[in-house]
Amino acid sequence: MEKPSTPTPRAEELSIGNPDRTQPGKHRGGTRLSGPTALAALAGVAAAAVVLSVAELIGAFFTARATPVIALGSTFIDFTPSWMKDFAIATFGTNDKLALFVGMAVTILALAGVLGIVAYRKWALGVAGVLLMGAVIVTSVVTRAGVQPLDAIPSLIGTAAGLMALRVLITMLRRTQQRPDPEPDHGVDPDLAAQDPHRPATSRRAFFAATGITAAASAVAATGGRLLSAARSNVAQARDSLQLPAPAKPAPAVPAGVQSSAPGVTPWLTPNNDFYRIDTALSVPEINVQDWELRIHGLVDREVRLTFQDLLDAKLIESHVSLTCVSNPVGGNLAGNAKWLGMPIREVLKMAGPRDGADMVLSTSIDGFSASTPLEVLQDDRDAMLAIGMNGEALPLEHGYPVRMVVPGLYGFVSATKWVVDLEVTRFADSKAYWTQRGWSERGPIKTMARVEVPKSFAKVPAGRVAIGGTAWAQTRGITKVEVQIDNGPWTEAVLSAEATVITWRQWSFDWEATPGPHYIKARATDGTGEVQTDQRADPVPDGASGWQSLMVTVE
Ligand SMILES: Nc1nc2c(c(=O)[nH]1)N[C@H]1C(S)=C(S)[C@@H](COP(=O)(O)O)O[C@H]1N2
Ligand SMILES: [Mo]
């Protein structure tokens, strides 16, 4: 219902962005809150879209080392409490980044909506809000690694554009809330006079059109910016055309029969495209091989710097290694097996000469991730390497191009640094790695694990012979036995597929005569030392999940 309007201080505020400031008494804005409030929120959202999309587009013309959205996301990650990160990885797995962007989008939408409402009520506060938003974006851009002060320009321009958009939209919105005077003195036709008070100075339709156009233009600008950035990136092309040298020591031949005979078990060799990806990098770092350099320093006799050419010229080795993520839950799929090509880290360390007392190497990526790896693990005969090749290709960008670490037997968070640029020989007592600072362990040997892949949990299977199968791993110790238990029956040995090496996973299968009804399937592995996988349940934090996988199937 319309209430009588009085000039309020807020009406004064309204006129700031409004040419009609000589007639403050004629404003009606704000007496009906629900409608204009929602529309003001909409204006705020459109203005925020302008800020980000314009910055994204302008950024594409610069080198776009850290575009605002990516930089904001990274800052978001940095400020996300570790329990929430753990939760995201546990819940969304390799979709954790999508989840992050959705979470970020919801937060930005909410803040932008509030900003619109604030701007509508008090323009000066709205300006302050937009400037604050701009300051946050600029700060997160310039605090990213490898970014220069000039990289702030796109965000500054975006903020200015967003401010203008907000001003236009809020001004229009205020005008939808004003009515011209009925002007009764001029002897207007009573019919017209009756209409006039209800005709706003600006129609809602015009406001919606302007908001819609703003949003659409933002979408076009953002898409254009993304496409332009992608086209300007030549790192992907350079990676595609990189010729890998032949290894001086090729991988041992993979024996026949490594694949489980149970249909539906994952391929023994994981294709690059299917390899799980876990990292804190929102935008995959793009490194030119010409610019890549690895610094080996710390407790060493001489500091060493390696170029990519040095790696190409070195005696390279090749081996199959299964990587596993510490965040992998029992039965989870954050593990993969690939053929890696690289230089033994042992040889690199030899060049630098580690000093007595050193017991750890802190490896750091170009984007600031770090891992602490025991020095002796990098020197023993497990052939930890600085990898440049994965399954016969250069490393995919998201798996660490041009150089990453691959260390058999350790979870990725303490060993598998992608986009690695720095090795500091140090002591566990002196340095803490990225995840160790966030409550995870400083060391991470991989725990023995048997995974059931077929049938799937809660599957319905026909009675009769059912093939159960899966993959087990205990890198550096090897798998010597997998056993299956149906319901509370005896533990029965599964058929092991051929073993390639003790640093690769090993598959298995088990023929089951299934009788109708619900059944529970459990599996456990025994490693090369004779130790049976523990049934002690443990969460991934701090050093990896444990326990026997148990799943229910219905036999019909
Ligand atoms: N630079 C960088 N390297 C990293 C990480 C990271 O966050 N940043 N995550 C590590 C973790 S936790 C794992 S499990 C492996 C995963 O390697 P992948 O993505 O190639 O499977 O990379 C490791 N290397
Ligand atoms: Mo991991």
Side-chain angles (χ1 to χ4, degrees):
M1 278 286 93
E2 295 186 7
K3 297 172 197 152
S5 88
T6 46
T8 61
R10 198 154 51 67
E12 282 288 351
E13 288 294 335
L14 298 185
S15 64
I16 288 172
N18 185 321
D20 295 335
R21 73 174 304 163
T22 49
Q23 302 178 304
K26 299 190 174 87
H27 292 289
R28 295 180 61 259
T31 47
R32 239 178 22 182
L33 273 184
S34 59
T37 302
L39 298 186
L42 207 60
V45 168
V50 169
V51 173
L52 292 176
S53 63
V54 167
E56 204 71 19
L57 182 61
I58 308 280
F61 289 96
F62 282 66
T63 50
R65 270 173 292 258
T67 77
V69 174
I70 299 296
L72 267 182
S74 308
T75 305
F76 209 77
I77 291 189
D78 292 346
F79 282 96
T80 304
S82 355
W83 62 262
M84 209 190 276
K85 275 187 253 201
D86 301 341
F87 168 80
I89 292 178
T91 314
F92 305 109
T94 46
N95 283 327
D96 60 338
K97 286 189 184 65
L98 182 64
L100 170 89
F101 274 118
V102 171
M104 206 169 87
V106 170
T107 309
I108 290 178
L109 281 183
L111 288 177
V114 170
L115 191 63
I117 296 169
V118 168
Y120 177 71
R121 297 197 171 171
K122 204 160 172 62
W123 173 246
L125 272 185
V127 173
V130 175
L131 293 182
L132 187 66
M133 177 174 169
V136 169
I137 297 174
V138 168
T139 310
S140 48
V141 167
V142 298
T143 51
R144 290 291 110 200
V147 166
Q148 285 145 29
L150 276 187
D151 292 328
I153 289 177
S155 307
L156 292 173
I157 298 177
T159 305
L163 200 56
M164 284 194 289
L166 187 64
R167 183 185 165 110
V168 169
L169 294 177
I170 291 294
T171 304
M172 285 183 85
L173 178 58
R174 285 171 176 171
R175 291 171 134 217
T176 67
Q177 299 301 306
Q178 322 164 351
R179 309 293 197 269
D181 265 352
E183 299 177 305
D185 294 350
H186 295 167
V188 184
D189 180 308
D191 285 333
L192 280 180
Q195 282 168 11
D196 268 350
H198 296 281
R199 186 175 57 80
T202 301
S203 72
R204 280 187 172 219
R205 184 181 290 181
F207 170 79
F208 278 123
T211 310
I213 290 169
T214 307
S218 300
V220 169
T223 312
R226 295 270 74 195
L227 291 178
L228 201 61
S229 304
R232 283 176 54 113
S233 152
N234 50 9
V235 173
Q237 278 131 290
R239 181 262 168 198
D240 290 346
S241 51
L242 184 75
Q243 295 291 321
L244 292 178
K249 187 180 134 203
V254 176
V258 287
Q259 183 67 39
S260 167
S261 62
V265 170
T266 48
W268 180 81
L269 188 72
T270 315
N272 289 355
N273 279 334
D274 298 339
F275 209 94
Y276 81 97
R277 174 186 167 200
I278 290 287
D279 53 60
T280 59
L282 256 197
S283 68
V284 174
E286 297 198 354
I287 306 175
N288 283 302
V289 287
Q290 295 88 335
D291 302 335
W292 183 84
E293 194 181 56
L294 179 70
R295 178 168 170 241
I296 303 103
H297 62 109
L299 298 173
V300 292
D301 290 339
R302 12 173 213 281
E303 181 170 324
V304 172
R305 280 167 194 268
L306 281 185
T307 64
F308 194 72
Q309 191 60 45
D310 292 333
L311 286 189
L312 294 178
D313 296 341
K315 283 206 169 84
L316 301 184
I317 57 171
E318 198 171 46
S319 64
H320 290 94
V321 181
S322 300
L323 297 191
T324 311
C325 181
V326 69
S327 296
N328 194 45
V330 172
N333 55 13
L334 299 180
N337 182 47
K339 185 170 74 174
W340 307 93
L341 170 75
M343 178 176 183
I345 297 179
R346 189 176 51 237
E347 301 304 325
V348 177
L349 289 170
K350 221 178 264 170
M351 294 162 72
R355 296 233 177 101
D356 286 351
D359 65 358
M360 187 262 269
V361 172
L362 188 76
S363 52
T364 307
S365 69
I366 195 154
D367 64 336
F369 167 89
S370 60
S372 55
T373 313
L375 180 60
E376 83 261 7
V377 162
L378 298 176
Q379 294 174 308
D380 68 20
D381 60 4
R382 76 182 69 193
D383 285 347
M385 61 168 107
L386 284 174
I388 61 171
M390 180 178 186
N391 289 333
E393 295 174 18
L395 291 179
L397 265 50
E398 59 272 27
H399 292 291
Y401 178 86
V403 185
R404 75 172 305 166
M405 301 208 340
V406 170
V407 183
L410 302 186
Y411 287 121
F413 82 115
V414 287
S415 70
T417 306
K418 306 190 273 190
W419 315 290
V420 63
V421 292
D422 190 285
L423 298 183
E424 186 193 357
V425 180
T426 176
R427 279 184 284 250
F428 276 107
D430 295 342
S431 263
K432 298 261 168 290
Y434 184 91
W435 285 111
T436 311
Q437 290 163 13
R438 290 160 174 80
W440 293 72
S441 167
E442 63 179 17
R443 290 163 204 253
I446 295 173
K447 297 179 179 177
T448 303
M449 184 63 62
R451 179 173 73 188
V452 183
E453 295 166 17
V454 287
K456 299 253 172 273
S457 189
F458 301 116
K460 289 185 168 46
V461 297
R465 232 199 72 183
V466 171
I468 302 177
T471 307
W473 57 79
Q475 289 94 313
T476 68
R477 302 179 299 279
I479 293 291
T480 51
K481 197 197 281 184
V482 169
E483 294 161 290
V484 173
Q485 185 190 47
I486 305 292
D487 303 324
N488 283 321
W491 283 98
T492 312
E493 270 191 56
V495 175
L496 284 178
S497 303
E499 174 176 74
T501 65
V502 292
I503 56 178
T504 56
W505 60 21
R506 189 165 189 186
Q507 299 200 322
W508 57 273
S509 61
F510 182 91
D511 281 340
W512 173 39
E513 276 305 322
T515 53
H519 291 288
Y520 288 88
I521 302 173
K522 271 190 195 149
R524 68 180 186 197
T526 300
D527 73 11
T529 70
E531 190 158 327
V532 180
Q533 175 182 342
T534 179
D535 66 339
Q536 282 277 301
R537 288 237 143 223
D539 280 338
V541 191
D543 61 359
S546 66
W548 296 335
Q549 188 185 352
S550 171
L551 51 101
M552 200 209 63
V553 297
T554 306
V555 179
E556 298 177 319

